[in-house]
Amino acid sequence: MNIVNLDHISSNPLLSEVKEAMIDAIQNDLHNPSSQHKAGEHAAGLLESARETCSQLINASSAREIVFTSGGTESVNHALKGAALANGNKGNHIITTNIEHNSVIRSLKRLSSQGFQITSLPVDKTGRVLPKDISNAITDKTILISVMHSNNETGIVQPIEEIGKIAREKKVLFHTDAVDSVGVLPVDVKSLNVDLLSFSSNTFYGPTGVGGLYIRKGARVFPLLDGGVQENNKRAGTQNLIGIIGMGKAAEQAIVHMDKRMQHLQELKNYLVEQLPSYVDEYLVNTNLKHSLPNLLNISLKYIEGESVMLMLDDENVAVSTKSACATGSLRASHVLLSLGLSHADAQGTLVISWGIDNTKDDMNKLLSALKNVVATLRHMSPLYKKQKVKI
Amino acid sequence: MNIVNLDHISSNPLLSEVKEAMIDAIQNDLHNPSSQHKAGEHAAGLLESARETCSQLINASSAREIVFTSGGTESVNHALKGAALANGNKGNHIITTNIEHNSVIRSLKRLSSQGFQITSLPVDKTGRVLPKDISNAITDKTILISVMHSNNETGIVQPIEEIGKIAREKKVLFHTDAVDSVGVLPVDVKSLNVDLLSFSSNTFYGPTGVGGLYIRKGARVFPLLDGGVQENNKRAGTQNLIGIIGMGKAAEQAIVHMDKRMQHLQELKNYLVEQLPSYVDEYLVNTNLKHSLPNLLNISLKYIEGESVMLMLDDENVAVSTKSACATGSLRASHVLLSLGLSHADAQGTLVISWGIDNTKDDMNKLLSALKNVVATLRHMSPLYKKQKVKI
């Protein structure tokens, strides 16, 4: 299938360098990195080399601060549940925001059923939480703050560095879900003042089902997976070595090419934002253009359903999404967009357009032409649209 | 490196069919199986096909009873913590045995710090737990029983079917850690009467870092990873699709070739047991030869350290292990062997020899010759051995 992939936020293709590294690992029959014979030591060398590269990608002080996981969701569950349970003796209060990914929301819901109190803060009209709101919410029972680095539906980037300063000053553990940022933007755990940071390999063109959790040295966090002594006793279970080798290679490439990639992605974003008005009218741009990822634009097309637009674009071989792939099957409007102040109707008309280093202006042109036709067709059938036109 | 791998329990090589399937998946840039466009549906088809094959491998009633995980350790953590927390309103008592894998022991330890009461039962001299001991330990507070199917250090197989009958009769959830059995022996969740069963891809020559959890329809278990709606809302997180495709192919091959493989593995076991006395003396066989896996033998060589034997065999390019790879770095004697009644000294002299479908009698001969020399050298230096000889 020759599909224009403008749904990169759901899945990025593997880099050719990553494919090569993974195929090499598959062909070479690597042993268990925990085994103490030569074959095990060889595997351990490859594992630790990937850990070193990932630690450089986020500027960790030491590779030992990186724990390999099965992806962003496990990293987030590990960070939140592990930090809450390990610090439950100090307090039971956790602060977060209304726009987090479901892995954060549902992990905290689980913790609330175990006696933890959750304060979830709103964002302003620009989609950002105010650091002073975080500061005001902290009590002497607060043990953890979790705020996402960038949002997976709108691309909006949060003021993590400022929140991190507040958290450090108040001596509260601070986690950021940076799953959609690490490998796209420069992310530096030291300047962000975070104790815990979740990331995912596929965001930077590594395989899915692999990720990492940064745990600052000294941060008190229980394992989520108990068992063997792997990962410096922080995450039990024989590692997905083939996937981790792929992530290590992807991290290496992200470090080398980050500036060039960002420029390309931002150019495509500027082009899309500029061109859109020539193809469709009556839409909202939900992405804060000043503080956002360079590879995503969230728009709401009035009077029609995003789901229908997505399916009709699919017929034209253009892949986009309407919300987080993790929420597929749920018919509810996105909590992220409702938090931004959108009406239910506008939230239902949402398209998430996300691109990658492999996309071109030509891909954007294909999307724009297809979108023009699809929107016209759907609005032609839309009773809401007709009513609106009569009013005017 | 041309190494004789007699440490298959730590890592099995990938089947050529598995390599091919994984490389194909890597080359084909699969999209997110949760995405609703064509590219997503294509990926979902591959995911569900692997789920169907894995369900056949353990004779589940439906593919929906299979949850893909990041390996045996996650499966075990999910089963135990998920079942305990979901049924905590009914009681807080859990029954297990003294010979479980660390993933079980440490998950239960975590639960005990959260108010659950754990009863851990001994095994008899043959290494097996008595079903009547399980029956006697059940109280009206018992919500969960966890007994491993086969032991990863001794290969001893437990009477799961009988324990399952007792659990079902008493309406207590029953989990078996079948990580070292599924794909080696016929395992049938229906005849075993289990509600929860953990398995791992690498045991049947699929990739590491991938596994599954069987959750019988109707069994009440909370997710371990909260977040998106993947895996029928039982395990959040974008799947490791490349790994799962590899596991699916490995499961297919295990189903087709199980009988032939078992015969080959058992022949190698018989050969090793027969030949050993011609090469070494003064050793214990810790594996119950009647009730055990066909691919593993645990022996204790008197007066010397297993660790030294392992390292010297490694110099001869023969890989074996001394205990679970998950316990590497710990100098303590194996809790499994101490539970069998071995002295600390004998437990320290242990070798775990484990083979696979790729091994031959010639490999066993290489091991035996190398072992003869290594044991002679080490005993020559052993003060314990000299003392013993003087006594005789």
PDB file of all heavy atoms in Angstrom, chain A residues 223 225-231 233-238, chain B residues 73-74 77 103:
ATOM      1  N   PRO A 223      10.092  -0.842  42.097  1.00  0.00           N
ATOM      2  CA  PRO A 223       9.871  -1.449  40.778  1.00  0.00           C
ATOM      3  C   PRO A 223       8.378  -1.682  40.539  1.00  0.00           C
ATOM      4  O   PRO A 223       7.610  -1.843  41.485  1.00  0.00           O
ATOM      5  CB  PRO A 223      10.588  -2.799  40.872  1.00  0.00           C
ATOM      6  CG  PRO A 223      11.508  -2.698  42.034  1.00  0.00           C
ATOM      7  CD  PRO A 223      10.859  -1.740  42.991  1.00  0.00           C
ATOM      8  N   LEU A 225       7.737  -4.080  38.032  1.00  0.00           N
ATOM      9  CA  LEU A 225       7.892  -5.511  37.775  1.00  0.00           C
ATOM     10  C   LEU A 225       8.897  -6.066  38.772  1.00  0.00           C
ATOM     11  O   LEU A 225      10.092  -5.746  38.703  1.00  0.00           O
ATOM     12  CB  LEU A 225       8.379  -5.753  36.343  1.00  0.00           C
ATOM     13  CG  LEU A 225       7.517  -5.210  35.205  1.00  0.00           C
ATOM     14  CD1 LEU A 225       8.037  -5.716  33.860  1.00  0.00           C
ATOM     15  CD2 LEU A 225       6.059  -5.608  35.365  1.00  0.00           C
ATOM     16  N   ASP A 226       8.406  -6.889  39.699  1.00  0.00           N
ATOM     17  CA  ASP A 226       9.282  -7.494  40.702  1.00  0.00           C
ATOM     18  C   ASP A 226       9.744  -8.860  40.215  1.00  0.00           C
ATOM     19  O   ASP A 226       8.996  -9.583  39.561  1.00  0.00           O
ATOM     20  CB  ASP A 226       8.503  -7.661  42.013  1.00  0.00           C
ATOM     21  CG  ASP A 226       8.215  -6.331  42.692  1.00  0.00           C
ATOM     22  OD1 ASP A 226       9.200  -5.652  43.047  1.00  0.00           O
ATOM     23  OD2 ASP A 226       7.037  -5.986  42.870  1.00  0.00           O
ATOM     24  N   GLY A 227      10.966  -9.235  40.584  1.00  0.00           N
ATOM     25  CA  GLY A 227      11.478 -10.545  40.192  1.00  0.00           C
ATOM     26  C   GLY A 227      12.985 -10.568  40.198  1.00  0.00           C
ATOM     27  O   GLY A 227      13.601 -10.350  41.241  1.00  0.00           O
ATOM     28  N   GLY A 228      13.584 -10.793  39.038  1.00  0.00           N
ATOM     29  CA  GLY A 228      15.035 -10.899  38.940  1.00  0.00           C
ATOM     30  C   GLY A 228      15.735  -9.567  39.166  1.00  0.00           C
ATOM     31  O   GLY A 228      15.090  -8.536  39.395  1.00  0.00           O
ATOM     32  N   VAL A 229      17.063  -9.621  39.085  1.00  0.00           N
ATOM     33  CA  VAL A 229      17.867  -8.444  39.436  1.00  0.00           C
ATOM     34  C   VAL A 229      18.270  -7.615  38.213  1.00  0.00           C
ATOM     35  O   VAL A 229      19.159  -6.759  38.286  1.00  0.00           O
ATOM     36  CB  VAL A 229      19.132  -8.869  40.212  1.00  0.00           C
ATOM     37  CG1 VAL A 229      18.748  -9.497  41.538  1.00  0.00           C
ATOM     38  CG2 VAL A 229      19.987  -9.841  39.394  1.00  0.00           C
ATOM     39  N   GLN A 230      17.587  -7.834  37.087  1.00  0.00           N
ATOM     40  CA  GLN A 230      17.930  -7.089  35.874  1.00  0.00           C
ATOM     41  C   GLN A 230      17.772  -5.576  36.095  1.00  0.00           C
ATOM     42  O   GLN A 230      17.105  -5.132  37.013  1.00  0.00           O
ATOM     43  CB  GLN A 230      17.019  -7.511  34.707  1.00  0.00           C
ATOM     44  CG  GLN A 230      17.250  -8.919  34.177  1.00  0.00           C
ATOM     45  CD  GLN A 230      16.386  -9.958  34.848  1.00  0.00           C
ATOM     46  OE1 GLN A 230      15.715  -9.683  35.836  1.00  0.00           O
ATOM     47  NE2 GLN A 230      16.404 -11.167  34.324  1.00  0.00           N
ATOM     48  N   GLU A 231      18.350  -4.789  35.172  1.00  0.00           N
ATOM     49  CA  GLU A 231      18.194  -3.323  35.182  1.00  0.00           C
ATOM     50  C   GLU A 231      18.566  -2.726  36.543  1.00  0.00           C
ATOM     51  O   GLU A 231      17.839  -1.901  37.100  1.00  0.00           O
ATOM     52  CB  GLU A 231      16.764  -2.937  34.790  1.00  0.00           C
ATOM     53  CG  GLU A 231      16.358  -3.392  33.393  1.00  0.00           C
ATOM     54  CD  GLU A 231      17.109  -2.647  32.290  1.00  0.00           C
ATOM     55  OE1 GLU A 231      17.083  -1.419  32.304  1.00  0.00           O
ATOM     56  OE2 GLU A 231      17.731  -3.310  31.444  1.00  0.00           O
ATOM     57  N   ASN A 233      18.394  -3.935  39.346  1.00  0.00           N
ATOM     58  CA  ASN A 233      17.385  -4.284  40.358  1.00  0.00           C
ATOM     59  C   ASN A 233      16.172  -3.343  40.338  1.00  0.00           C
ATOM     60  O   ASN A 233      15.399  -3.289  41.289  1.00  0.00           O
ATOM     61  CB  ASN A 233      18.018  -4.260  41.755  1.00  0.00           C
ATOM     62  CG  ASN A 233      17.589  -5.468  42.581  1.00  0.00           C
ATOM     63  OD1 ASN A 233      16.653  -6.185  42.210  1.00  0.00           O
ATOM     64  ND2 ASN A 233      18.241  -5.677  43.702  1.00  0.00           N
ATOM     65  N   LYS A 234      15.995  -2.624  39.229  1.00  0.00           N
ATOM     66  CA  LYS A 234      14.880  -1.672  39.161  1.00  0.00           C
ATOM     67  C   LYS A 234      13.729  -2.151  38.293  1.00  0.00           C
ATOM     68  O   LYS A 234      12.631  -1.597  38.327  1.00  0.00           O
ATOM     69  CB  LYS A 234      15.377  -0.313  38.633  1.00  0.00           C
ATOM     70  CG  LYS A 234      16.255   0.411  39.649  1.00  0.00           C
ATOM     71  CD  LYS A 234      16.830   1.688  39.062  1.00  0.00           C
ATOM     72  CE  LYS A 234      17.828   2.301  40.029  1.00  0.00           C
ATOM     73  NZ  LYS A 234      18.717   3.248  39.357  1.00  0.00           N
ATOM     74  N   ARG A 235      13.971  -3.165  37.459  1.00  0.00           N
ATOM     75  CA  ARG A 235      12.911  -3.664  36.572  1.00  0.00           C
ATOM     76  C   ARG A 235      13.251  -5.095  36.208  1.00  0.00           C
ATOM     77  O   ARG A 235      14.190  -5.344  35.439  1.00  0.00           O
ATOM     78  CB  ARG A 235      12.845  -2.790  35.319  1.00  0.00           C
ATOM     79  CG  ARG A 235      11.590  -2.935  34.486  1.00  0.00           C
ATOM     80  CD  ARG A 235      11.730  -3.973  33.396  1.00  0.00           C
ATOM     81  NE  ARG A 235      10.618  -3.928  32.471  1.00  0.00           N
ATOM     82  CZ  ARG A 235      10.433  -4.840  31.518  1.00  0.00           C
ATOM     83  NH1 ARG A 235      11.271  -5.834  31.350  1.00  0.00           N
ATOM     84  NH2 ARG A 235       9.383  -4.736  30.717  1.00  0.00           N
ATOM     85  N   ALA A 236      12.506  -6.031  36.764  1.00  0.00           N
ATOM     86  CA  ALA A 236      12.798  -7.442  36.551  1.00  0.00           C
ATOM     87  C   ALA A 236      12.350  -7.898  35.168  1.00  0.00           C
ATOM     88  O   ALA A 236      11.467  -7.296  34.561  1.00  0.00           O
ATOM     89  CB  ALA A 236      12.097  -8.266  37.621  1.00  0.00           C
ATOM     90  N   GLY A 237      12.927  -9.000  34.724  1.00  0.00           N
ATOM     91  CA  GLY A 237      12.516  -9.602  33.461  1.00  0.00           C
ATOM     92  C   GLY A 237      13.622  -9.542  32.422  1.00  0.00           C
ATOM     93  O   GLY A 237      14.311  -8.528  32.297  1.00  0.00           O
ATOM     94  N   THR A 238      13.788 -10.643  31.695  1.00  0.00           N
ATOM     95  CA  THR A 238      14.783 -10.656  30.624  1.00  0.00           C
ATOM     96  C   THR A 238      14.417  -9.583  29.596  1.00  0.00           C
ATOM     97  O   THR A 238      13.267  -9.466  29.197  1.00  0.00           O
ATOM     98  CB  THR A 238      14.824 -12.047  29.966  1.00  0.00           C
ATOM     99  OG1 THR A 238      15.145 -13.003  30.976  1.00  0.00           O
ATOM    100  CG2 THR A 238      15.878 -12.119  28.873  1.00  0.00           C
TER     101      THR A 238
ATOM    102  N   THR B  73       8.045 -12.411  33.315  1.00  0.00           N
ATOM    103  CA  THR B  73       8.018 -11.641  34.566  1.00  0.00           C
ATOM    104  C   THR B  73       6.824 -10.694  34.613  1.00  0.00           C
ATOM    105  O   THR B  73       6.139 -10.602  35.634  1.00  0.00           O
ATOM    106  CB  THR B  73       9.342 -10.866  34.742  1.00  0.00           C
ATOM    107  OG1 THR B  73      10.383 -11.828  34.993  1.00  0.00           O
ATOM    108  CG2 THR B  73       9.278  -9.884  35.905  1.00  0.00           C
ATOM    109  N   GLU B  74       6.553  -9.992  33.516  1.00  0.00           N
ATOM    110  CA  GLU B  74       5.377  -9.117  33.514  1.00  0.00           C
ATOM    111  C   GLU B  74       4.103  -9.951  33.659  1.00  0.00           C
ATOM    112  O   GLU B  74       3.175  -9.569  34.392  1.00  0.00           O
ATOM    113  CB  GLU B  74       5.293  -8.276  32.238  1.00  0.00           C
ATOM    114  CG  GLU B  74       4.114  -7.312  32.288  1.00  0.00           C
ATOM    115  CD  GLU B  74       3.827  -6.594  30.966  1.00  0.00           C
ATOM    116  OE1 GLU B  74       4.783  -6.235  30.265  1.00  0.00           O
ATOM    117  OE2 GLU B  74       2.629  -6.416  30.656  1.00  0.00           O
ATOM    118  N   ASN B  77       3.736 -10.885  37.334  1.00  0.00           N
ATOM    119  CA  ASN B  77       3.379  -9.699  38.133  1.00  0.00           C
ATOM    120  C   ASN B  77       1.926  -9.305  37.890  1.00  0.00           C
ATOM    121  O   ASN B  77       1.185  -8.983  38.823  1.00  0.00           O
ATOM    122  CB  ASN B  77       4.291  -8.514  37.776  1.00  0.00           C
ATOM    123  CG  ASN B  77       5.602  -8.494  38.551  1.00  0.00           C
ATOM    124  OD1 ASN B  77       5.759  -7.740  39.505  1.00  0.00           O
ATOM    125  ND2 ASN B  77       6.551  -9.335  38.172  1.00  0.00           N
ATOM    126  N   SER B 103      10.138 -13.898  40.329  1.00  0.00           N
ATOM    127  CA  SER B 103       9.036 -13.009  39.914  1.00  0.00           C
ATOM    128  C   SER B 103       7.802 -13.284  40.763  1.00  0.00           C
ATOM    129  O   SER B 103       7.056 -12.356  41.099  1.00  0.00           O
ATOM    130  CB  SER B 103       8.738 -13.156  38.422  1.00  0.00           C
ATOM    131  OG  SER B 103       8.405 -14.490  38.114  1.00  0.00           O
TER     132      SER B 103
END
